[in-house]
Structure formats: C-alpha cells, structure tokens
C-alpha cells in the first residue's frame, strides 16, 4: 500500500500467530475443518520486524440486540533479528457485549433489580498480553510462551435463571504458558524427540 511495506486484507481469512497456541487455524487438531475469521488485517513487514493489527467479528447480533456483538482485535509483533529465532510480543482483546441482564421476571421484580443493582452486568472485556520466543540451534529447537489475561468478567458469572445472580465484581486475572524442547537426529527420516509442558 502507498509504496510502503503495508498489506491490507479484508474479508474471511485465517489468522495464525506464533505456533497457533492462542490464535490459529486449528490445523493441529485431529479431523479439523480449519478456522477462519471475518475481519480486517493490516500487516507492516520490514525485515526483521513484522507487525499485524487486526479486527474480526465473532458474533453479529444486529437486530436482536443493539451493540451486542462479540469482536476480536489485537496487535501481534515479531522480530527475527537473530538468525533462526523469532521473538513475539502481542496484545489481544475480546469484547463481548451480549447482554446478561435477565428480563424474564415480572416488571416489579425487574424494577427492584435495577434499583439495587442486581442482574445487570458490564460488557465482558478479556485482554491477553503475551511474549513468545522460538528458535533452533544445532539439532535442538525450543518454543516458550507466556500470557497474562485480565479484564472485566462480571457477565461470565451471570446465570440465565430468574432470581439467581452472578458475581458482578468478577474479573479475569490469570497466567498461562507453554514450552516445548525438541531434538532432531541427523539421520535418515530425521526422527525428533521432544518434551512439552503447559500451564493454565
């Protein structure tokens, strides 16, 4: 675009970042039919740095609920300044504006719930910030990734039954990570042994 190293993709497309641990096409899953997103992706690529910014629509509720959509956006940056290695930083954002407010009970009950602040939950905002390193030296290869999730989770605790209320002060605040170390033998068929671990 405009004579600079920018690329714009709009429409249905795969989004695969890093090894696909958090955002991928599900190709590693058995019998997967793949996974695609409807959205826009802007990529800046000037060796050794690549930066992707994207926005996708996960759920469109349009006529049923005003501003009740679920979206997915983020920025993913990769640096390949060291030969055979890549280092990634990213931020992902999932806003889910689907209403969790129960309107099935009697009008007086609804008025009372509004008065005392029950059964009315904020938009879910799930943020994920992470870092990843992957590379190889000799016959060894390594991948390690850590991510921290935070944000408003009050709607997650909402239950869809009258007179049962979720935790309207709930929030996301958790770590996750994974690592894998492998070794490929320099013989015919190149067998590889590996050890991996994940924490959620």
């Amino acid at each position: 675009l405009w004579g600079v190293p920018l690329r714009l993709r709009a429409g249905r497309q795969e989004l695969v970042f890093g090894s696909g641990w958090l955002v991928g096409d599900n190709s590693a899953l058995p019998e997967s039919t793949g996974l695609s997103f409807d959205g826009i992706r802007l990529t800046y690529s000037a060796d050794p740095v690549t930066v992707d910014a994207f926005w996708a629509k996960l759920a469109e509720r349009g006529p049923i609920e005003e501003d009740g959509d679920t979206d997915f956006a983020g920025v993913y940056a990769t640096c390949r300044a060291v030969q055979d290695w890549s280092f990634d930083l990213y931020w992902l954002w999932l806003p889910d504006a689907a209403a969790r407010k129960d309107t099935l009970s009697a009008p007086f009950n609804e008025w009372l719930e509004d008065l005392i602040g029950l059964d009315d939950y904020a938009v879910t905002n799930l943020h994920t910030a992470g870092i990843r390193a992957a590379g190889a030296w000799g016959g060894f290869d390594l991948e390690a990734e850590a991510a921290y999730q935070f944000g408003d989770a009050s709607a997650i605790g909402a239950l869809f039954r009258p007179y049962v209320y979720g935790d309207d002060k709930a929030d996301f605040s958790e770590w996750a990570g994974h690592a894998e170390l492998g070794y490929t033998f320099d013989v015919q068929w190149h067998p590889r042994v590996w050890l991996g671990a994940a924490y959620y």
Side-chain angles (χ1 to χ4, degrees):
L1 296 174
W2 308 299
V4 294
L6 279 175
R7 179 181 65 201
L8 179 67
R9 288 181 172 174
R12 184 158 294 174
Q13 57 192 292
E14 291 182 343
L15 296 175
V16 181
F17 296 113
S19 63
W21 178 52
L22 291 180
V23 183
D25 59 3
N26 285 352
S27 58
L29 299 177
E31 301 178 9
S32 171
T33 57
L35 178 65
S36 60
F37 298 83
D38 293 334
I40 298 172
R41 178 178 181 177
L42 183 66
T43 303
Y44 173 82
S45 185
D47 195 45
V49 174
T50 300
V51 179
D52 281 284
F54 68 91
W55 168 86
K57 181 70 67 177
L58 300 187
E60 170 67 62
R61 296 184 179 88
I64 300 171
E65 179 180 349
E66 184 180 358
D67 299 326
D69 296 347
T70 303
D71 297 318
F72 183 40
V75 178
Y76 198 101
T78 300
C79 178
R80 295 183 177 87
V82 179
Q83 185 176 1
D84 298 326
W85 283 86
S86 63
F87 301 92
D88 305 340
L89 285 173
Y90 57 86
W91 166 75
L92 309 172
W93 176 39
L94 185 89
D96 182 357
R100 299 294 187 262
K101 180 174 172 56
D102 163 43
T103 55
L104 301 177
S105 59
F108 175 77
N109 294 337
E110 289 300 321
W111 173 82
L112 186 58
E113 288 173 348
D114 290 340
L115 182 67
I116 58 181
L118 288 174
D119 209 17
D120 197 2
Y121 304 92
V123 169
T124 298
N125 279 292
L126 174 59
H127 300 271
T128 305
I131 186 170
R132 174 183 177 268
W137 71 101
F140 289 95
D141 60 89
L142 172 70
E143 179 188 9
E145 186 168 358
Y148 178 68
Q149 292 192 317
F150 59 96
D152 188 327
S154 64
I156 303 302
L159 302 177
F160 296 94
R161 290 180 290 161
Y163 317 114
V164 180
Y165 305 109
D167 180 2
D168 61 2
K169 293 184 172 51
D171 61 8
F172 297 105
S173 180
E174 295 296 339
W175 283 94
H178 75 114
E180 182 174 306
L181 175 65
Y183 182 78
T184 302
F185 293 91
D186 190 15
V187 295
Q188 190 174 4
W189 292 5
H190 302 290
R192 176 179 180 264
V193 294
W194 58 272
L195 178 66
Y199 169 79
Y200 299 96

